[in-house]
Amino acid sequence: TQQKEISESDALVFAYPLYVDSIPAHLLNILIDIDNKKLLKKNTMIYCIVNNGFSEGQQSHIAVQQLKNW
């Protein structure tokens, strides 16, 4: 299952579009679910790719920070 794959992963890559300078709601729900079920190992590496559609990357700062805080 997907939950088993997540719990066994050494790294996760989240790639998502920027939505009003933030994480899209469906991704936020997934992050909350992963957290509530304690699916991640302590040393799991988390990476993110944010597509913001702008030539400068500054717009992505808030969304990246939200994922860091998670």
Side-chain angles (χ1 to χ4, degrees):
T1 67
Q2 291 175 344
Q3 291 181 1
K4 183 178 181 205
E5 289 179 23
I6 290 171
S7 67
E8 294 175 351
S9 295
D10 293 326
L12 295 175
V13 178
F14 293 99
Y16 53 91
L18 188 67
Y19 185 74
V20 192
D21 292 342
S22 187
I23 293 175
H26 66 281
L27 176 57
L28 185 58
N29 289 335
I30 291 169
L31 296 176
I32 291 169
D33 194 44
I34 290 172
D35 196 43
N36 287 340
K37 293 179 181 177
K38 309 277 189 245
L39 295 178
L40 293 182
K41 296 185 290 189
K42 199 175 222 181
N43 58 350
T44 301
M45 297 296 298
I46 306 293
Y47 300 95
C48 72
I49 301 169
V50 182
N51 179 5
N52 69 12
F54 299 104
S55 57
E56 70 278 347
Q58 298 158 295
Q59 296 293 118
S60 301
H61 174 72
I62 295 171
V64 172
Q65 197 62 40
Q66 287 174 323
L67 199 58
K68 281 183 180 181
N69 288 334
W70 170 73

